Amino acid sequence: MKIAILGGDGFVGWPTTLHLSDLGHEVHIVDNLSRRWIDTELGVQSLTPMDSIQERCRIWHEVSGRRIQFHLIDLAKEYERLKVWLAEVKPDAIIHFAEQRAAPYSMKTDRHKVYTVNNNVSATHNVLAAMVETGIDAHLVHLGTMGVYGYSSVGAPIPEGYLDVEIDTPSGKKEQEILYPTKPGSVYHMTKSLDQILFQFYAQNDGLRITDLHQGIVWGTHTDQTRKHEQLVNRFDYDGDYGTVLNRFLIQAAIGYPLTVHGTGGQTRAFIHIRDSVRCIELALGDAPKAGERVRIFNQMTETHRVRDLAEMIAKMTGAKIANLPNPRKEAPENDLIVKNDQFLALGLDPTTLEEGLLDEVVEVARKYAYRIDRSRVPAVSGWTKDLGAKVERDPEGKALKSVS
Amino acid sequence: MKIAILGGDGFVGWPTTLHLSDLGHEVHIVDNLSRRWIDTELGVQSLTPMDSIQERCRIWHEVSGRRIQFHLIDLAKEYERLKVWLAEVKPDAIIHFAEQRAAPYSMKTDRHKVYTVNNNVSATHNVLAAMVETGIDAHLVHLGTMGVYGYSSVGAPIPEGYLDVEIDTPSGKKEQEILYPTKPGSVYHMTKSLDQILFQFYAQNDGLRITDLHQGIVWGTHTDQTRKHEQLVNRFDYDGDYGTVLNRFLIQAAIGYPLTVHGTGGQTRAFIHIRDSVRCIELALGDAPKAGERVRIFNQMTETHRVRDLAEMIAKMTGAKIANLPNPRKEAPENDLIVKNDQFLALGLDPTTLEEGLLDEVVEVARKYAYRIDRSRVPAVSGWTKDLGAKVERDPEGKALKSVS
Ligand SMILES: NC(=O)c1ccc[n+]([C@@H]2O[C@H](COP(=O)([O-])OP(=O)(O)OC[C@H]3O[C@@H](n4cnc5c(N)ncnc54)[C@H](O)[C@@H]3O)[C@@H](O)[C@H]2O)c1
Ligand SMILES: NC(=O)c1ccc[n+]([C@@H]2O[C@H](COP(=O)([O-])OP(=O)(O)OC[C@H]3O[C@@H](n4cnc5c(N)ncnc54)[C@H](O)[C@@H]3O)[C@@H](O)[C@H]2O)c1
């Protein structure tokens, strides 16, 4: 297959590129490298030393004999170039990762809100409009998030996209299937909720074939392909905007800081290892809807954990201490999270659990690259416990402090 | 009150401006005049001779002694200028008309789709982000459309925004109120469905006070204020993109063409006179939600009619003939439309009906300005009936032909 990977220089895009190239597909990356620019803006960098995309592609060719094409296009701003590129390459499938993906970043300032909405909505809509215009009948696979539903609402299991409702009509009640109602908690999550409406329209109106993968928090650094060469390593974010709670615990453990748990640590989140994420994408690719079918929505996660349980797992492996801090976020202190992921299990997914995979992260990533850690980016409890209380009071919505994301 | 009218140079915005100025409010228009540029692009013009916005404001001052401020800002592209302006003017209310509003225009080409999405989403989101950032606690009144629900679906009455649903949870079924699910039929309608998600988020997250008016097709040209001077006249669109079915019938009648009804003319649409539209906006302004309240959604319409009944009304008044043509649109040939508009009736709206108001439109507008009609923009049955059949075959979705909108 000829596969286009939009956002193929990113954290999930890069290992997906390698995985699909390894399987023998012809892979084309489109990326505007905005994520690297954001690193520059924030003055942070990946824990793992990350080469340029051009260099990564060169090394993959050396290692595997396979070529990956890289195209520098801003999908949100360069509609005409996107269209020309699409008509030339004519991919059979398009995997769309190319969005600003950090909730805390999307809420930093009004500029970041505006950027996130404009970037994400325009990128997605431009891809859809260009597909219709060029008549390319590719299967579009998009990465969404379960976060669109909000985490507390009514405690219902996170569905696979749809809800049956009853509507009163003059001739009695009628059943109708609707997109499961969303309740996004950040501008980032909101853009994913907008994406759903775009997908629904273009699937209905133009017969585009679309799969939307509602992904949990992706963890883990290596896949079978990134391991093949030091310079193929994936990015590892641990800053307050892009670093997930798990990555931040790993970094704290590696430099001997206590693991900072906000509130009771009772927030439950869904997780998936990067190896399983790329495998799910492969499975979804092979299972395309037909033209005229509704958008397929899958939950892409393998396990759920409370934040405090994650901290305990890492503490046990590393001997790190745990420090409880007040929660700066406006959220329920404890929430259950039941996620249906029947569709991927049915397709044959065999997950890597945190229990088995975490040690690798500790030894092969956090400790190995600990010398590169920028300590100013890692919350250290000792110095600022009191301060934090004050910060929380001044900033009840936690805009300044980022915790679980 | 100090009131900002975004899109105040447009068809509904201009009479709203005059109405609110007449009531003694301090009115500020923001507009980028894109609608005038689209006239230029399409090579069409308003039937009524329309002055520049600056000239209109000058004449209003002459006539009424009141000042209207005009600010040339592109809400979608000039976020920083919008913010500066908002912080300076500090309006108590903001009425947001500033979107590309024609469904046929939004579907013309991919460029028009991309423009409509980028313009409408960015304009709306920029306004919301700027309100939060400047801390202006204004009541935001937005103009939406009932068209977001699609017209055929299950034949349910068009609701006032919300639906109660039951959701299965581990502890039994729970009731939840959700935004009534949308089913937009064009890119334009889709943008209104995106707007709803933006409003819901900013009302919940930032306590913005928002009212969304789901408006029917606005008809009529004059209000009490536009009548005060020839040069205050409102615009009257009759081209294939912006002209509504009613305006097109009026023009056909004025130049002695038959009224062209597509299919059985059984499509039902909701209507409201421009006089009632401005009055509804006044009523909605006076009934602002409180911070933290959900978005208020009203249906802003006063009557529903089938297209063939409109044609018959106009034929009766003018002696015009009716010609039935095949329907180029992918839509149900007949649909009922039951619309709830209890909220406005409760607030004291006393509507102008088509039955009473149509004659004015025939005499004072269509016939009066008939000399300005560009006949090439008016479908004339004689010349192209056969052609139309062929066109419909080549273009089953009716992209080339625009009918009811
Ligand atoms: N990482 C996670 O835990 C996670 C969880 C759920 C969903 N997702 C979703 O998966 C997708 C990929 O996530 P990620 O972690 O790899 O993010 P990332 O930021 O590492 O990668 C996104 C890539 O897209 C590119 N990009 C952004 N805007 C672009 C534009 N306008 N034009 C061209 N390229 C553009 C960036 O430069 C970057 O390389 C995102 O859509 C994200 O929302 C990720
Ligand atoms: N006219 C109707 O029958 C009708 C029916 C239902 C809903 N509505 C809604 O009411 C609103 C007004 O409709 P209308 O008929 O007056 O449309 P219109 O096109 O006549 O007016 C819209 C105005 O907004 C301005 N505008 C557009 N984009 C802008 C931007 N980015 N920055 C600044 N100004 C911008 C245009 O220049 C124009 O003056 C629209 O949102 C429309 O969707 C209209």
Side-chain angles (χ1 to χ4, degrees):
Chain A
M1 268 213 288
K2 204 186 278 188
I3 304 175
I5 306 201
L6 314 179
D9 187 43
F11 168 60
V12 190
W14 175 241
T16 304
T17 301
L18 295 184
H19 180 72
L20 295 173
S21 175
D22 212 20
L23 288 173
H25 299 296
E26 178 184 328
V27 181
H28 293 252
I29 290 177
V30 171
D31 206 298
N32 67 346
L33 308 184
S34 52
R35 182 65 192 84
R36 292 179 187 253
W37 189 88
I38 291 174
D39 275 346
T40 310
E41 171 197 356
L42 301 177
V44 301
Q45 60 184 9
S46 166
L47 177 69
T48 50
M50 197 179 45
D51 275 20
S52 74
I53 181 66
Q54 293 86 346
E55 186 64 8
R56 285 168 149 191
C57 292
R58 195 186 61 74
I59 288 175
W60 176 245
H61 181 238
E62 238 176 65
V63 165
S64 70
R66 300 184 188 282
R67 294 238 177 251
I68 297 165
Q69 302 288 335
F70 167 66
H71 310 261
L72 184 70
I73 301 178
D74 187 328
L75 297 168
K77 294 197 180 154
E78 300 183 297
Y79 177 73
E80 292 300 326
R81 288 191 61 221
L82 161 62
K83 200 165 68 174
V84 169
W85 168 81
L86 200 60
E88 244 173 60
V89 170
K90 295 194 183 52
D92 304 299
I94 300 175
I95 310 175
H96 173 26
F97 297 103
E99 297 185 279
Q100 191 300 98
R101 70 112 172 128
Y105 184 86
S106 78
M107 300 298 281
K108 273 180 114 66
T109 71
D110 58 334
R111 180 172 72 75
H112 294 89
K113 292 178 192 175
V114 167
Y115 166 74
T116 300
V117 168
N118 290 352
N119 185 65
N120 293 7
V121 172
S122 297
T124 298
H125 182 254
N126 283 351
V127 169
L128 294 164
M131 285 175 69
V132 172
E133 192 59 22
T134 54
I136 303 286
D137 180 32
H139 175 202
L140 179 67
V141 177
H142 170 258
L143 277 287
T145 157
M146 284 163 228
V148 285
Y149 304 123
Y151 286 113
S152 33
S153 63
V154 291
I158 301 283
E160 300 216 66
Y162 293 93
L163 177 69
D164 287 318
V165 298
E166 285 194 333
I167 293 194
D168 284 319
T169 76
S171 50
K173 284 191 185 299
K174 287 200 185 156
E175 279 251 327
Q176 205 184 356
E177 187 193 65
I178 64 170
L179 276 177
Y180 196 92
T182 62
K183 202 183 170 160
S186 77
V187 165
Y188 157 70
H189 289 100
M190 183 181 74
T191 64
K192 297 287 183 176
S193 168
L194 301 177
D195 283 342
Q196 290 206 26
I197 308 263
L198 299 175
F199 294 140
Q200 187 184 40
F201 176 77
Y202 278 92
Q204 266 169 19
N205 195 68
D206 300 282
L208 293 191
R209 301 181 295 120
I210 304 173
T211 299
D212 199 4
L213 303 173
H214 286 187
Q215 196 169 236
I217 298 177
V218 184
W219 66 282
T221 307
H222 291 298
T223 62
D224 294 347
Q225 292 78 33
T226 65
R227 278 190 199 285
K228 290 194 178 171
H229 192 291
E230 185 81 38
Q231 284 174 275
L232 294 176
V233 72
N234 200 10
R235 64 181 302 140
F236 181 106
D237 299 309
Y238 65 96
D239 63 283
D241 287 303
Y242 283 85
T244 59
V245 59
L246 190 67
N247 282 7
R248 292 168 72 71
F249 286 161
L250 288 167
I251 292 292
Q252 289 172 322
I255 58 175
Y257 283 14
L259 314 183
T260 47
V261 172
H262 293 135
T264 63
Q267 316 89 338
T268 310
R269 292 292 181 267
F271 294 88
I272 183 169
H273 193 279
I274 184 70
R275 254 196 309 265
D276 295 326
S277 178
V278 304
R279 173 90 174 109
C280 282
I281 290 164
E282 179 199 339
L283 292 171
L285 270 182
D287 193 40
K290 290 185 197 38
E293 232 180 80
R294 65 169 202 193
V295 177
R296 282 212 190 156
I297 301 177
F298 291 70
N299 286 334
Q300 181 159 314
M301 52 68 71
T302 57
E303 53 192 319
T304 61
H305 292 280
R306 288 187 194 273
V307 169
R308 63 170 168 263
D309 299 334
L310 289 179
E312 274 159 24
M313 257 193 245
I314 294 174
K316 222 170 66 187
M317 284 178 196
T318 62
K321 296 213 159 41
I322 295 176
N324 286 87
L325 299 185
N327 188 358
R329 286 209 176 191
K330 194 159 85 179
E331 66 183 353
E334 303 269 326
N335 77 297
D336 286 322
L337 188 65
I338 310 163
V339 186
K340 299 187 181 173
N341 66 341
D342 311 345
Q343 298 187 90
F344 272 126
L345 296 180
L347 289 175
L349 181 70
D350 172 25
T352 303
T353 63
L354 274 154
E355 202 68 57
E356 324 157 350
L358 255 188
L359 197 61
D360 267 16
E361 288 302 305
V362 171
V363 177
E364 293 195 52
V365 183
R367 286 193 185 144
K368 177 167 174 191
Y369 296 107
Y371 70 97
R372 285 173 52 92
I373 294 172
D374 174 355
R375 287 170 185 244
S376 72
R377 300 292 170 171
V378 187
V381 165
S382 46
W384 54 303
T385 313
K386 260 198 236 121
D387 212 75
L388 175 66
K391 270 195 192 156
V392 170
E393 302 240 299
R394 282 200 310 276
D395 179 18
E397 305 203 19
K399 285 183 185 155
L401 286 165
K402 310 298 163 350
S403 55
V404 187
S405 102
Chain B
M1 269 212 289
K2 203 187 276 187
I3 304 177
I5 306 201
L6 315 180
D9 187 43
F11 167 61
V12 190
W14 176 240
T16 304
T17 300
L18 295 184
H19 180 72
L20 295 174
S21 174
D22 213 20
L23 289 174
H25 298 296
E26 177 185 329
V27 181
H28 293 253
I29 291 178
V30 171
D31 205 298
N32 67 345
L33 308 184
S34 52
R35 182 66 192 83
R36 292 177 187 253
W37 189 88
I38 291 173
D39 275 346
T40 310
E41 171 197 355
L42 301 176
V44 301
Q45 60 185 8
S46 167
L47 177 69
T48 50
M50 196 178 45
D51 274 19
S52 75
I53 181 67
Q54 294 87 346
E55 186 64 7
R56 286 167 149 192
C57 292
R58 194 184 63 74
I59 289 174
W60 177 245
H61 180 239
E62 239 177 64
V63 166
S64 70
R66 301 186 188 280
R67 293 239 177 250
I68 296 165
Q69 302 291 334
F70 167 65
H71 309 262
L72 183 69
I73 301 178
D74 187 327
L75 297 167
K77 292 196 180 153
E78 300 183 298
Y79 176 73
E80 292 298 327
R81 287 190 62 219
L82 161 62
K83 199 165 70 174
V84 169
W85 168 82
L86 200 60
E88 242 173 60
V89 171
K90 294 193 185 52
D92 304 300
I94 300 175
I95 310 176
H96 172 28
F97 297 104
E99 297 186 279
Q100 192 298 100
R101 70 114 172 125
Y105 184 85
S106 78
M107 299 298 281
K108 274 182 114 64
T109 71
D110 58 336
R111 179 173 73 76
H112 295 88
K113 292 178 192 175
V114 167
Y115 167 73
T116 301
V117 168
N118 291 351
N119 185 65
N120 294 5
V121 173
S122 296
T124 298
H125 183 255
N126 284 350
V127 170
L128 295 165
M131 286 175 69
V132 173
E133 192 58 22
T134 55
I136 303 285
D137 180 33
H139 176 200
L140 178 67
V141 177
H142 171 258
L143 277 287
T145 159
M146 281 164 233
V148 285
Y149 304 122
Y151 286 112
S152 33
S153 63
V154 291
I158 301 282
E160 301 217 65
Y162 293 92
L163 178 69
D164 287 319
V165 299
E166 285 193 332
I167 294 196
D168 284 318
T169 75
S171 50
K173 285 191 185 297
K174 288 201 185 156
E175 278 250 331
Q176 205 184 355
E177 189 192 63
I178 64 169
L179 276 175
Y180 197 93
T182 62
K183 201 183 170 158
S186 76
V187 165
Y188 158 69
H189 289 100
M190 183 181 73
T191 65
K192 297 287 183 176
S193 166
L194 300 178
D195 283 342
Q196 290 206 24
I197 308 264
L198 299 175
F199 294 140
Q200 187 185 40
F201 176 78
Y202 279 91
Q204 266 169 20
N205 196 68
D206 300 284
L208 292 191
R209 301 180 296 120
I210 304 173
T211 298
D212 199 5
L213 303 174
H214 286 188
Q215 196 168 236
I217 298 177
V218 183
W219 67 280
T221 307
H222 291 299
T223 62
D224 296 346
Q225 292 78 34
T226 65
R227 277 190 200 287
K228 291 192 177 171
H229 192 291
E230 185 81 38
Q231 284 173 275
L232 293 175
V233 71
N234 200 10
R235 64 181 301 141
F236 181 107
D237 299 308
Y238 64 96
D239 63 283
D241 286 302
Y242 283 85
T244 60
V245 60
L246 190 68
N247 281 7
R248 291 167 71 71
F249 286 161
L250 287 168
I251 292 293
Q252 288 171 324
I255 58 177
Y257 283 13
L259 315 183
T260 46
V261 172
H262 292 137
T264 62
Q267 314 88 336
T268 309
R269 293 290 183 268
F271 294 88
I272 182 168
H273 192 280
I274 184 70
R275 255 197 307 267
D276 295 326
S277 179
V278 305
R279 172 91 174 107
C280 281
I281 290 164
E282 179 200 340
L283 293 172
L285 270 183
D287 193 41
K290 290 184 196 41
E293 233 181 79
R294 64 169 203 191
V295 176
R296 284 214 188 153
I297 301 177
F298 292 70
N299 286 334
Q300 182 159 312
M301 52 69 70
T302 57
E303 53 192 319
T304 62
H305 291 281
R306 287 186 195 274
V307 169
R308 63 170 169 263
D309 299 334
L310 289 181
E312 273 157 25
M313 259 192 242
I314 294 174
K316 221 169 67 186
M317 285 177 193
T318 62
K321 296 216 158 39
I322 294 176
N324 284 86
L325 298 185
N327 188 358
R329 285 210 176 192
K330 195 159 84 179
E331 65 184 353
E334 303 269 326
N335 75 298
D336 286 321
L337 187 65
I338 311 163
V339 185
K340 300 186 181 174
N341 66 341
D342 312 344
Q343 299 187 88
F344 272 127
L345 296 179
L347 290 175
L349 181 71
D350 172 26
T352 304
T353 63
L354 273 155
E355 203 68 58
E356 321 156 353
L358 253 187
L359 197 63
D360 268 15
E361 288 302 305
V362 171
V363 177
E364 293 195 53
V365 183
R367 285 192 187 144
K368 176 166 176 195
Y369 296 107
Y371 69 98
R372 286 174 51 91
I373 293 173
D374 174 355
R375 288 172 184 243
S376 72
R377 300 292 171 172
V378 187
V381 165
S382 45
W384 56 304
T385 313
K386 258 198 235 120
D387 212 74
L388 176 65
K391 270 195 193 159
V392 170
E393 302 241 302
R394 280 199 311 278
D395 179 17
E397 305 201 21
K399 285 182 184 156
L401 286 166
K402 310 297 159 352
S403 55
V404 188
S405 101

